[in-house]
Amino acid sequence: MTNSNPECVEVSTVLSEFALGILTGRERSRVLAHVALCPQCRGELDALSAVGDRLVELAPRAEPPVGFESRLLDRYHGESARQPVRALRGVALVAAAVVLVAAGFTLGHHAPTQRPNTPSLSTAAPISEALTSAGRTLGQVWLSAGTPTWIYMSFDDAGWSGTAWCTVTLKNGHVLDVGVFNVVHGYGAWAAQVNAASSAVRSARVTDAKGHVLASATVST
Amino acid sequence: MRGALALIDFVRRAPGESDPWPDPHRTIRVVIRRRDTDDEVSDETLLSGIALGDNEATLLFVRRYQRRLFGLALGIVGDPGIAEDVAQEAFLRIFRHAAVYDVRRAAVSTWVLTITRNLAIDALRVRRATPVAPGDLVFVNLVSRDTPPEDVAANADEAARAWTALTSLPLDQRRCVVLAAVYGRTAAEIATSESIPLGTAKSRLRLGMIRLRDAVFEEMP
C-alpha cells in the first residue's frame, strides 16, 4: 500500500472512505487521480473495497412480506410487456445467454472502471436460427447483435459423435472458419467470436472431418 | 439441455495451452453440463436467463435472493414498507441490467447487494431529512454485540470469518465502520451522530478498515 511517497501517505488517510464510497468533492478527485497512477495505492484500494463488500454481505436476512414475490413479478412483467423482448425457449434461452455473457466477458476487458450497477453494453436480442439436416432440427445457432458478432451453436440429440468443424458464410460469399469442437453422445455446444457483423452472416454449417455437412442454418435477416 | 437450466462455465485457456479456435477467434470454451437440481444453477446462469426473459430463471433468482435483499434493505431503512419498495426496485434494476453484468468485476451477490444498499441509502436520505440515531439502526445494534446473526452463524464460512474480524475491533471502530460501509454515512455525519470530533471519526474508520483488511486477507488461502 503506502510508502514514503508523501502523496501516498496523504491519500492513505482517506483511502478507506473512498473505498466505502463516502468520500466526496476535491478529496475524492485527488484519490482518483492518485490511484490511476499508483499501483500500490490502487492495490490497497481494491483490498479495502473488498472488505467493504464483505461488510455489506453480513447484513442479516429477513423474510419479505407475504406477496412480495408476486408483486415483484407483476411489476416486472408489466415492464417487460411495455418493452417486448424476443421470445426464446428452452435450450435457446441458455444458448443465447452464453453469447451475451461471453460478449460481456470479453468486451469488459477494455471497458473503463464503472460502478457495478452501471450498464455498458448493448442488450439487443441475438439472432436465432435452427440448425437442421434433411428437415430435422438438430440444434440452434445464435448470433449476438453487433460487430464482431459472437456465434453460439448447440447440438442436441444429433445421433452423432466426433470432431466437428464449424464455418460461417458471409453475404459477400466469404467463408470463415469458426472452430473445431467435439460432439459427445450426440450433444455439443460451443461459442466463438467471428470477425464480421451479425448482419453480414448468411449461413452457418457444421461438417465432419471429411467435409460432409452434418447440419446447417440459414440466417433469415 | 431440456428441462432444468444448465450450468454454464466459461474457461479461459492458459497461455500455451492447445487452442481449438483458429485466430482471430477468441479462446473461450463453453461447457454446458446438465444438473439435477436448480440449487446447482449458478447465479451467472440465472442472470443470463433473466436477460433473455426466462421466467424460470427470474423466479429462481428472486427466491434465492429475496431474503438477503429484503434483509439488507430492512436493516438500513428500518421500515418494512420502505424496505419492500427498495428490494423490489433493486430486483428490477438487476433484471434490467442482467445482460451487462460483468463476472470479472464482482461476484453476483456483491453486485446485487451493492445495488440494494445504494437504493436503501438513497431512500433513507430522501425520506428522512434528519439522520436516524445510530442506536435505532438495526445493523449497528447487531454489531454492537459479539454474537453473529443467526444466518451468519449458520453459514460458518467467509461471512462468519468476516463477522469474527469485525467483532474483534474495538466497539467504537466497529460502529464507525458499519455506519460508513452499510449506511453510507460520511465521516462528518458519523462525527455528528457519535458526538466525536471529525478527526476522531476519520481515524476510527481508517484504523478499523485496516485491521479488517489485515484479518480478512490473512485468512485467504
Side-chain angles (χ1 to χ4, degrees):
Chain A
M1 71 143 184
T2 56
N3 53 32
S4 55
N5 180 331
E7 199 177 347
C8 292
V9 173
E10 200 180 331
V11 163
S12 73
T13 62
V14 290
L15 210 51
S16 291
E17 292 170 63
F18 185 92
L20 298 177
I22 58 169
L23 203 61
T24 56
R26 246 184 319 190
E27 282 187 310
R28 179 177 166 78
S29 304
R30 186 159 52 91
V31 174
L32 265 175
H34 178 73
V35 296
L37 299 171
C38 177
Q40 280 181 299
C41 289
R42 195 161 59 244
E44 173 71 356
L45 176 61
D46 288 344
L48 292 169
S49 299
V51 169
D53 291 341
R54 287 204 180 181
L55 291 173
V56 173
E57 291 186 8
L58 287 180
R61 298 166 194 209
E63 203 63 52
V66 175
F68 174 89
E69 186 179 296
S70 57
R71 285 190 292 277
L72 170 62
L73 295 176
D74 284 349
R75 281 182 67 184
Y76 177 51
H77 291 137
E79 280 190 1
S80 299
R82 287 192 296 275
Q83 295 176 315
V85 238
R86 187 170 177 161
L88 302 167
R89 294 179 293 113
V91 61
L93 284 166
V94 179
V98 174
V99 175
L100 290 178
V101 175
F105 183 91
T106 302
L107 296 176
H109 267 306
H110 308 293
T113 302
Q114 296 170 329
R115 291 189 65 80
N117 56 353
T118 305
S120 60
L121 300 172
S122 163
T123 58
I127 297 165
S128 167
E129 297 293 348
L131 201 56
T132 63
S133 174
R136 181 172 165 242
T137 299
L138 297 181
Q140 293 283 340
V141 177
W142 259 263
L143 292 166
S144 67
T147 308
T149 184
W150 275 83
I151 189 167
Y152 173 87
M153 283 189 173
S154 72
F155 258 21
D156 199 3
D157 297 329
W160 180 86
S161 295
T163 302
W165 300 71
C166 174
T167 59
V168 296
T169 303
L170 303 183
K171 288 174 180 168
N172 64 10
H174 288 156
V175 178
L176 301 177
D177 286 330
V178 174
V180 183
F181 48 88
N182 293 320
V183 177
V184 181
H185 303 306
Y187 179 77
W190 57 94
Q193 197 178 54
V194 177
N195 260 356
S198 54
S199 58
V201 175
R202 185 172 67 197
S203 63
R205 68 180 187 175
V206 179
T207 65
D208 64 14
K210 293 178 181 172
H212 297 140
V213 178
L214 300 169
S216 62
T218 302
V219 179
S220 55
T221 57
Chain B
M1 276 286 303
R2 299 186 188 93
L5 284 162
L7 179 72
I8 305 172
D9 297 325
F10 292 90
V11 182
R12 284 189 69 77
R13 289 176 178 277
E17 188 180 350
S18 167
D19 183 354
W21 307 106
D23 276 336
H25 306 309
R26 306 306 294 251
T27 56
I28 291 181
R29 185 178 56 197
V30 180
V31 181
I32 299 185
R33 296 195 298 265
R34 293 172 194 224
R35 292 295 189 191
D36 295 326
T37 68
D38 288 341
D39 286 343
E40 293 180 88
V41 178
S42 71
D43 287 344
E44 291 78 7
T45 301
L46 292 180
L47 282 180
S48 301
I50 291 167
L52 293 162
D54 184 319
N55 290 336
E56 185 187 2
T58 307
L59 187 61
L60 211 53
F61 191 86
V62 170
R63 288 182 177 166
R64 185 175 291 182
Y65 274 102
Q66 61 182 352
R67 293 184 70 243
R68 294 189 73 177
L69 267 56
F70 180 75
L72 175 61
L74 183 62
I76 294 175
V77 302
D79 177 285
I82 301 173
E84 173 165 349
D85 288 346
V86 167
Q88 292 215 359
E89 184 56 33
F91 271 118
L92 292 173
R93 285 200 186 190
I94 292 159
F95 298 159
R96 285 181 212 126
H97 298 157
V100 296
Y101 162 74
D102 185 344
V103 69
R104 296 171 311 106
R105 290 212 183 103
V108 172
S109 61
T110 302
W111 183 59
V112 302
L113 289 170
T114 300
I115 290 173
T116 309
R117 168 196 179 258
N118 292 342
L119 284 171
I121 290 170
D122 287 347
L124 207 56
R125 289 188 190 279
V126 166
R127 290 169 199 245
R128 289 177 175 154
T130 310
V132 183
D136 294 335
L137 297 175
V138 174
F139 204 51
V140 173
N141 286 333
L142 268 178
V143 300
S144 298
R145 22 182 229 255
D146 292 334
T147 50
E150 216 170 279
D151 284 329
V152 171
N155 281 333
D157 52 10
E158 280 189 12
R161 289 203 300 276
W163 182 271
T164 304
L166 183 62
T167 51
S168 70
L169 298 180
L171 183 58
D172 51 8
Q173 286 180 16
R174 214 183 296 175
R175 289 169 63 88
C176 284
V177 164
V178 168
L179 281 168
V182 179
Y183 293 91
R185 296 272 179 98
T186 64
E189 288 169 341
I190 293 170
T192 302
S193 65
E194 297 285 286
S195 302
I196 53 177
L198 176 60
T200 305
K202 280 177 166 284
S203 168
R204 286 180 184 174
L205 191 53
R206 184 167 60 88
L207 292 174
M209 285 295 286
I210 288 171
R211 288 183 65 171
L212 282 176
R213 179 210 60 197
D214 290 345
V216 165
F217 286 95
E218 272 173 17
E219 290 161 357
M220 288 182 71

